[in-house]
Amino acid sequence: NRDDLVENLGTIARSGTTAFLESLSGDEKKDSALIGQFGVGFYASFSVAEKVEVLSRKAGEVQAWLWASDGQGSFTIAEAERDGPGTTITVFLKKEDKDYIEEARIRNIVRTYSDHISVPIMLAAKEGDTQLNKGSAIWTRQKKDISEEQYTEFYHHVGHVFDDPWLTLHNRAEGKIEYTNLLYIPSSKPFDLMNPDRKHRVKLYVKRVFITDDCEGLMPSYLRFVRGIVDSEDLPLNVSREMLQHNVVVTRIHNALVRRVFGELKKKAEKAPEEYALFWDNFGAVLKEGLYEDHDNRDKIIEIARFHSTDSDNLTGLADYVSRMKDGQEEVYYITGDNLDMLKSSPQLEGFRARGVEVLLMTDPIDEFWLTSVPTYKEKPFMSVTAAAVDLSNIEKPKSESDDETEKEEKADEGDVAKLVLAFKETLGEAVKDVRSSDRLTDSAVCLVAGEGDMDLHLERMLKLQGHMDIPTLSRVLEINPAHPLIKKLTAAVDKPAKKKSVDDMAHLLLDQAKIIEGEPVTDPTAFSQRLNAVLEGGL
């Protein structure tokens, strides 16, 4: 009625939003509802309008009133007529802002922000009145009343995707904070999943009104594959992006959603490991970013993390790995690289296979980084099999019937091996950090490993490929296999002056061979080719 128009709309027309906001009670819930009715949204209409008229007839009263203002600080109220109770607001647009009444623009705005409002929003078009919003906020209904097809249809609508959801999470939280979430994990990997600029796809609503799809605090970046909506009852309708960045309600919702996602993933991992393997293949690399970024949830993530290993073609968790550790084994062994097949054939794994020691195979770039943040699992330290500090002497090899008879003649004489090691050191010089006999090799003649405290071989190569050319190229430790036929022949020739050049050439060739196996370029391709040709010629 007239008094309502003067008290509410009159305040805005006289002095804008400032006086109106100063008149608020301080009760956030009460005031947010008021702002939704008579607030800044109404006042903003004057930025595109020459005049705004409000024709209103209060329920239970006969007299209607017409409020009018040009937004310049004054308004008028006059008696008017209206067929029934209700309110009609008429905005007289400026000529330069007529695009606000284009049908396509109106439809887009309503679909974006008010598609789930329960009150129907009608468009009076030439062909007749049509309802623009569906008014079907599916998340407000009970789960038992929603079919799988309806969940999938909404997933396609909110996610703008065509696959079916792998997992659906629909919950309502009540208590200190009230909100509803309807979240989906896709069944296929988005093409831009690994784009560092990609953000999560969870939309924030307040009382069914769309607020933003860019609320950074709602979901952590490592769950950016999650899609869906969160509808809060506690946030004000006029909440700004700046307010959302440090909002206590958003923080609490964030923490609860992350716990919920981890809880459901853990259930899947335990009850349906084959299905979970599909999820992990799609999103495991992203989820592991949380091991590096999110200290608070690190334990939850590590429990649901899965890895390829030398023991099985199936993925394994760390708890299962630890349960299979050999007597005398104190570390969780792993190897990192770019390709699973190449890792499986790595010479560094030979000694571990011979002892039946399982090694985790890690091919995601993030593995190099989270392992520096998570040094142990259940007090078992992680150790790369390419580290020089690896010691397998406490782990016994499974013996076959012929092992006892051949063990003594398998390896070259320790004294001769020591002479060969010394000769290799003198020949290779600074090209290697050290040369040593190894017990990690069974079939290969040599391999390269990182010196104590040095960067892992794969990490150094990966960083340089990413443009970090300031990282120095470290000399590596060359390990030789004293049981390999070639090494045994070299030990027999090392004391013969006539064979010195051949031994020196072989030292360089074996170092280059080890580099090639590791995916490293040889230092001098021309010298490598000449030495190789000489060896081949001598063998003919």
Side-chain angles (χ1 to χ4, degrees):
N1 61 17
R2 187 182 190 282
D3 292 339
D4 297 326
L5 292 169
V6 172
E7 181 179 351
N8 294 305
L9 301 191
T11 301
I12 292 176
R14 282 197 306 272
S15 55
T17 59
T18 303
F20 182 66
L21 294 173
E22 288 174 352
S23 69
L24 299 179
S25 68
D27 184 319
E28 189 175 285
K29 283 194 174 183
K30 182 178 178 182
D31 290 340
S32 67
L34 186 63
I35 291 171
Q37 296 172 48
F38 305 110
V40 292
F42 177 80
Y43 186 72
S45 64
F46 290 107
S47 65
V48 295
E50 295 177 344
K51 181 175 67 170
V52 177
E53 289 184 351
V54 179
L55 175 63
S56 181
R57 175 179 163 186
K58 191 169 185 175
E61 298 184 9
V62 176
Q63 183 62 59
W65 301 91
L66 179 66
W67 180 98
S69 175
D70 60 5
Q72 300 300 312
S74 62
F75 65 94
T76 62
I77 297 182
E79 293 184 358
E81 293 183 357
R82 198 176 191 281
D83 292 340
T87 303
T88 302
I89 301 174
T90 307
V91 180
F92 296 83
L93 290 171
K94 299 173 184 176
K95 289 182 179 180
E96 61 268 27
D97 293 308
K98 289 291 179 65
D99 57 330
Y100 280 100
I101 56 171
E102 290 178 0
E103 183 175 332
R105 183 163 190 178
I106 292 172
R107 288 181 180 275
N108 181 62
I109 290 172
V110 172
R111 273 198 222 99
T112 301
Y113 294 95
S114 303
D115 198 32
H116 303 289
I117 299 293
S118 57
V119 177
I121 300 173
M122 311 299 293
L123 177 66
K126 292 178 181 179
E127 62 273 14
D129 293 356
T130 57
Q131 183 172 338
L132 300 182
N133 63 327
K134 293 182 178 179
S136 58
I138 185 176
W139 62 85
T140 63
R141 292 152 55 186
Q142 296 289 326
K143 285 195 270 189
K144 61 182 178 62
D145 298 328
I146 307 173
S147 67
E148 187 174 341
E149 289 75 18
Q150 289 171 320
Y151 273 129
T152 301
E153 182 184 357
F154 184 71
Y155 166 69
H156 294 158
H157 169 73
V158 75
H160 306 291
V161 289
F162 301 99
D163 64 328
D164 290 340
W166 178 79
L167 183 65
T168 302
L169 295 83
H170 185 191
N171 307 94
R172 176 169 178 79
E174 297 178 338
K176 289 184 178 180
I177 57 170
E178 294 186 10
Y179 68 90
T180 301
N181 67 263
L182 179 49
L183 304 178
Y184 298 93
I185 293 178
S187 57
S188 60
K189 187 191 320 186
F191 72 93
D192 61 343
L193 181 65
M194 304 311 294
N195 186 331
D197 298 326
R198 191 180 194 276
K199 299 177 181 178
H200 68 75
R201 302 296 175 89
V202 178
K203 298 182 178 182
L204 176 64
Y205 285 74
V206 174
K207 302 178 180 68
R208 298 188 183 188
V209 177
F210 172 67
I211 302 299
T212 180
D213 57 1
D214 191 22
C215 180
E216 292 181 8
L218 203 57
M219 272 283 177
S221 62
Y222 61 85
L223 290 179
R224 57 183 175 272
F225 52 84
V226 176
R227 299 172 184 266
I229 66 96
V230 174
D231 190 358
S232 170
E233 296 292 328
D234 299 287
L235 290 168
L237 277 166
N238 68 331
V239 66
S240 66
R241 183 177 178 184
E242 290 74 21
M243 291 170 63
L244 288 171
Q245 287 179 347
H246 305 288
N247 189 283
V248 175
V249 173
V250 172
T251 300
R252 289 178 177 173
I253 293 175
H254 164 102
N255 293 337
L257 292 179
V258 171
R259 285 196 302 271
R260 177 76 62 181
V261 171
F262 287 153
E264 293 300 320
L265 289 177
K266 187 176 181 180
K267 289 179 186 176
K268 274 281 192 179
E270 293 172 351
K271 297 179 180 179
E274 292 184 1
E275 285 184 38
Y276 188 75
L278 297 175
F279 159 79
W280 190 259
D281 284 342
N282 283 330
F283 305 112
V286 177
L287 194 58
K288 282 188 286 188
E289 291 176 12
L291 293 171
Y292 182 71
E293 299 171 355
D294 190 350
H295 182 273
D296 293 338
N297 289 299
R298 190 170 290 163
D299 291 342
K300 295 185 180 70
I301 301 173
I302 202 74
E303 289 298 336
I304 61 174
R306 295 294 181 266
F307 307 93
H308 292 281
S309 86
T310 54
D311 246 31
S312 172
D313 291 332
N314 298 322
L315 294 172
T316 185
L318 286 172
D320 290 335
Y321 176 96
V322 170
S323 71
R324 296 191 293 264
M325 286 173 63
K326 298 294 182 182
D327 292 338
Q329 181 182 348
E330 297 297 330
E331 292 86 10
V332 175
Y333 291 111
Y334 69 90
I335 184 171
T336 58
D338 302 317
N339 180 281
L340 199 60
D341 292 330
M342 288 182 65
L343 284 183
K344 289 178 179 179
S345 60
S346 173
Q348 282 97 341
L349 297 179
E350 293 172 0
F352 294 86
R353 282 202 181 93
R355 291 166 173 79
V357 176
E358 185 175 6
V359 178
L360 300 177
L361 309 172
M362 301 191 183
T363 56
D364 296 319
I366 190 62
D367 291 324
E368 295 283 7
F369 299 97
W370 73 259
L371 283 162
T372 62
S373 303
V374 189
T376 63
Y377 174 76
K378 292 186 177 178
E379 301 182 353
K380 302 290 185 183
F382 288 97
M383 178 169 282
S384 172
V385 301
T386 65
V390 168
D391 182 6
L392 299 177
S393 60
N394 292 328
I395 306 173
E396 291 187 6
K397 281 186 181 180
K399 287 191 176 183
S400 64
E401 293 180 1
S402 59
D403 279 348
D404 290 331
E405 300 175 5
T406 60
E407 188 173 3
K408 291 183 180 179
E409 56 188 51
E410 277 186 353
K411 292 185 179 180
D413 180 78
E414 289 186 10
D416 292 338
V417 172
K419 291 178 185 178
L420 183 65
V421 166
L422 184 60
F424 273 25
K425 285 182 181 180
E426 291 176 355
T427 300
L428 298 175
E430 294 183 358
V432 292
K433 187 170 186 177
D434 195 8
V435 181
R436 65 182 64 162
S437 177
S438 172
D439 63 353
R440 79 176 80 212
L441 297 170
T442 58
D443 300 320
S444 300
V446 293
C447 72
L448 286 176
V449 297
E452 189 172 350
D454 288 348
M455 185 182 295
D456 188 83
L457 281 70
H458 177 247
L459 177 58
E460 180 187 316
R461 184 167 67 251
M462 185 177 68
L463 291 175
K464 286 185 175 180
L465 287 173
Q466 292 176 353
H468 297 276
M469 304 310 295
D470 54 329
I471 295 175
T473 300
L474 299 174
S475 298
R476 300 300 182 178
V477 176
L478 180 68
E479 291 194 350
I480 63 174
N481 177 7
H484 193 277
L486 177 58
I487 299 300
K488 287 193 282 189
K489 285 187 177 181
L490 287 171
T491 59
V494 72
D495 280 335
K496 299 175 181 178
K499 295 288 187 178
K500 186 178 187 312
K501 186 178 185 308
S502 297
V503 173
D504 290 348
D505 285 346
M506 195 57 68
H508 287 287
L509 281 172
L510 288 174
L511 174 60
D512 288 338
Q513 173 189 302
K515 286 183 177 180
I516 292 170
I517 291 173
E518 291 301 321
E520 298 282 343
V522 296
T523 307
D524 188 343
T526 301
F528 169 74
S529 177
Q530 290 172 348
R531 292 188 186 103
L532 182 60
N533 288 339
V535 170
L536 291 173
E537 183 182 350
L540 292 175

